[in-house]
Structure formats: C-alpha cells, structure tokens
Amino acid sequence: MSHVKPDFGRPVLVAGGGGFIGGHLVAELLEQGYRDVRCVDIKEMDRWYQNAASAENVVADLTLIENCQAACEDVGDVYNLACDMGGMGFIENNKALCMLSVLINTHMLMAAKDAGVQRYFYASSACVYNADKQTNPDVVPLKEADAYPAMPEDGYGWEKLFSERMCRHFQEDYGLMTRVARFHNVYGPLGTWDGGREKAPAAMCRKVIAASLSGDHSIEIWGDGEQTRSFTYIDDCLKGIQLIMNSDLDVPINLGSSELVTINGLVDIVEKIGGIKLERSYNLDAPKGVNGRNSDNTMIMNRLGWAPGTRLCDGMEKTYQWIEKEFVARQQAESHQVSTTTAPV
Ligand code: NAD
C-alpha cells in the first residue's frame, strides 16, 4: 500500500480543536513534532477541553465561508472534527441543528479546495448506517457497504452521510484528497461528561460517581439496558485517524472497536471500577438509539493491518478516574461559592 506523506512545511488545521477528539488530536500532532498546528473552534477558549500553548488557537464559527477561508490559508492538511453534536439525548432532540453542521463541511471543503490543501480528513460516524441493519441487539457487525441503501440516523446521520458523499465528489471532481473515517462511540478523558451532550460511557461514569458520593445508590438507565454497542478508546481513535490520513484509502472506513457490550454490561464495568453496586431503573421513554451496533473491522485490518484493541474495561478505568476528579473539583467549587455568597458580612 502506498502511504501519503504529510507536508511538514505547511500548517495543519484541526477544525473543532476545542472539542474532545480535536483537543487530543492537537496534542498528538504536537507530540509527533508538527510545529505549526492551527486549532479553530466556535467555543470560547476557556471552554476548550485542551488548549495547547504552542498551537495557533482561534475562536471562529466555521459555518461561515470567510472563517473557513481564513482557517485554511497556507494549510497542508485539514482535520475536520467540527460539528454540533452530542450523545443520543442531544441528537434525537436537535435534528435540525445537527443537520446545520453541513454548512461547516461544505464551506471547509470549498475553502480547502481553493487554498490548495493537500489532504482533508472528515470525521464521519457509525450513525450513517442503515437503521434496518441495527434492529437486533444480537448484531451482525456493520461493514462499510451497509450504509447503503441509505437509511441513516435521522438528522445527525443524514448530515454525516451527505458530507461523506461531498468529500467523495470533491475528490473525484476537484482532486482534493479526502479521507473519511466512521467513528464508533469514542470515549476517554477530557471530553463531555455532563450537560446533555455526553455519551453513554461518560454518562455512566458520572451517574456511578454521583451515586457513590451522594449515598443514593440508584441509577437510571435509558432503554432496557439490553441494547448493544461497541466503544472506542480515544488513543485508538487517534492512531486510526493518523493511519487513515496517511493511507491511500479513498473510501469511508470504520474506525471503531469490535468489543460488543450491552448497556447493562457497561454499567457492570463502571460499577466494578467504582467499587459499588447500584439499584437499576430503566427509563423506556428515554432516547436509546438503535438496538444493536458493532463495527466490522475486516476492511481496516485488510487495508491498514490494524484495528482498535484497547479493552473497554481499561479505557473506562482511565475515563472514570478523570471524570471523578472533575466531578469532585466542581462540587468543591460549588460549595465554596455557596459558602462565600452566604457568609455573614
Ligand atoms: P465535540 O463536540 O467534543 O467536538 C466538536 C467541536 O466542534 C466542539 O468543540 C464544538 O464547539 C466545535 N464546533 C461546533 N460547531 C462549530 C462551528 N460552527 N465552528 C467551529 N467549531 C464548531 O465532539 P467530538 O466527540 O470531539 O467529535 C468530533 C467529531 O467526531 C465530530 O464531527 C463528531 O460528529 C465525530 N464523531 C464523534 C463520535 C464520538 O463518539 N465522540 C462518534 C462519531 C463521530
């Protein structure tokens, strides 16, 4: 397989670099020796999960073409991870908002083409897969061809599938080298763990931590807990992004763990880490997504000779430790605030 070499002489752009995966990617690129990393995100900088002092950090709305043009100026590689997204609770209730991320990818592709960008990475999702293939918890892992005939997740998944397609046509029609990975549930430290956009692994950690600190030993689970998923640790995601970017793969490819677990099984893992057993209640009306989903890793193994391998229990241990620290720090900050506002003068 021929490998596509990065152009170290030009800046690298990480769009959405204030987010979970983008923040880790910026840190990884700097670690690898890239000296010129531009990081753009719409959030105010104090809300970025990571903020590398040696990167060029910019706050800008990438739905606007002029901001995409400025972001792509002189750039060799673009990693587009900018997206208005969240876990199932967010995407099921914000379909229009999710679809509006199409403005980001459209304008980023146009700007990248005009700026003569060498390589363009797009973060797609397992939510592009046909819903009919995900009705049974006892899943057949999804292979890349299962995205068609198209019946993706409403809103978010349609936007991802359309944007994938746009990457393909920018490559065919304009020669912009695009690389597309379909991420499967990425988790790890330094990501969203509360506020409504968090995904199942972080939400479970937070709920178990809250239960153990409060003494209320109960947990609410969305759905019947028998829905199945695979979860990809951030280190595997980062490794996969780089392998895919440096490869000659010009079609979308799965980037996900194939370790299948039920949501009840995920709770078992988190309870074990937290050293606690909780009473479970099941909210059957809450958003729960498809009944079953796993990643078929035949293509990534055949083409790149590698697939994500971090065991869920190991990745969850690190994630739990980080969320616990954040949780306790926030509780302490809140109680300090209460004591200073209620202190007698
Ligand atoms: P994230 O929400 O932490 O990061 C996305 C970042 O994009 C955020 O910091 C957000 O502020 C930024 N953004 C949103 N709108 C923007 C705009 N108009 N201009 C500039 N920046 C904007 O999410 P993440 O988990 O890091 O996901 C990164 C990418 O990977 C996204 O495209 C997401 O759809 C995709 N993905 C993630 C997962 C996962 O499990 N985390 C799974 C599948 C796909």
Side-chain angles (χ1 to χ4, degrees):
M1 189 183 76
S2 68
H3 287 267
V4 184
K5 294 259 180 301
D7 181 350
F8 282 102
R10 296 163 75 190
V12 177
L13 169 65
V14 179
F20 164 49
I21 303 172
H24 281 283
L25 181 62
V26 170
E28 173 75 16
L29 291 169
L30 291 168
E31 175 81 25
Q32 282 174 13
Y34 284 84
R35 271 169 303 159
D36 211 348
V37 179
R38 186 175 298 155
C39 184
V40 182
D41 203 288
I42 195 170
K43 286 188 301 206
E44 289 308 318
M45 242 173 254
D46 59 1
R47 291 176 50 228
W48 292 20
Y49 291 115
Q50 301 188 57
N51 195 328
S54 53
E56 179 193 349
N57 296 317
V58 180
V59 174
D61 179 357
L62 293 173
T63 61
L64 304 176
I65 182 104
E66 58 273 25
N67 290 342
C68 294
Q69 286 161 341
C72 285
E73 205 178 319
D74 300 326
V75 159
D77 288 348
V78 170
Y79 293 88
N80 181 11
L81 301 161
C83 181
D84 214 344
M85 59 89 70
M88 219 13 95
F90 179 80
I91 65 178
E92 283 202 4
N93 292 308
N94 294 277
K95 291 177 186 153
L97 202 61
C98 286
M99 293 212 76
L100 284 172
S101 289
V102 78
L103 292 172
I104 303 175
N105 203 47
T106 305
H107 289 147
M108 284 297 299
L109 279 168
M110 290 167 71
K113 169 179 94 65
D114 292 344
V117 161
Q118 188 196 4
R119 311 185 300 180
Y120 185 99
F121 178 91
Y122 177 60
S124 185
S125 163
C127 287
V128 298
Y129 284 114
N130 188 313
D132 276 349
K133 308 220 173 205
Q134 305 173 76
T135 53
N136 193 338
D138 190 12
V139 290
V140 175
L142 294 158
K143 53 186 182 309
E144 286 74 1
D146 291 331
Y148 294 97
M151 210 219 293
E153 175 78 36
D154 212 358
Y156 177 71
W158 275 106
E159 189 279 318
K160 288 289 184 194
L161 195 63
F162 178 84
S163 289
E164 278 191 0
R165 201 84 186 175
M166 213 165 13
C167 288
R168 168 175 160 178
H169 296 312
F170 267 67
Q171 180 156 279
E172 291 167 349
D173 294 358
Y174 304 128
L176 174 65
M177 194 184 293
T178 58
R179 299 287 175 259
V180 176
R182 293 177 181 155
F183 295 169
H184 288 245
N185 282 315
V186 187
Y187 72 99
L190 296 155
T192 311
W193 57 276
D194 73 343
R197 288 182 186 243
E198 65 280 15
K199 297 187 157 211
M204 292 311 170
C205 290
R206 188 200 66 231
K207 288 179 183 187
V208 170
I209 292 161
S212 78
L213 291 177
S214 70
D216 172 7
H217 290 181
S218 63
I219 186 166
E220 183 189 83
I221 294 168
W222 289 5
D224 63 7
E226 290 309 305
Q227 63 274 37
T228 49
R229 291 290 184 280
S230 69
F231 298 99
T232 313
Y233 190 58
I234 183 67
D235 290 2
D236 286 336
C237 180
L238 294 176
K239 178 165 179 178
I241 290 174
Q242 293 284 277
L243 284 173
I244 291 164
M245 185 65 141
N246 292 331
S247 76
D248 60 358
L249 267 163
D250 57 0
V251 288
I253 184 167
N254 280 334
L255 178 48
S257 164
S258 57
E259 182 183 342
L260 192 69
V261 65
T262 62
I263 295 300
N264 278 323
L266 179 67
V267 179
D268 291 342
I269 290 173
V270 184
E271 282 180 339
K272 196 167 168 211
I273 296 167
I276 194 169
K277 268 280 171 208
L278 303 174
E279 191 165 320
R280 301 178 188 188
S281 65
Y282 294 92
N283 182 350
L284 301 181
D285 297 325
K288 72 172 183 73
V290 293
N291 287 330
R293 175 182 289 161
N294 197 2
S295 177
D296 181 316
N297 286 344
T298 311
M299 187 192 274
I300 197 164
M301 278 308 293
N302 286 346
R303 298 292 297 270
L304 303 177
W306 171 88
T310 304
R311 292 185 320 162
L312 183 59
C313 57
D314 296 336
M316 286 302 288
E317 173 94 45
K318 294 181 187 157
T319 308
Y320 186 97
Q321 307 302 348
W322 178 78
I323 294 177
E324 192 175 39
K325 276 197 204 116
E326 292 289 299
F327 195 106
V328 171
R330 194 172 62 184
Q331 259 191 347
Q332 283 168 350
E334 281 168 2
S335 68
H336 176 71
Q337 209 173 20
V338 170
S339 66
T340 50
T341 48
T342 54
V345 276

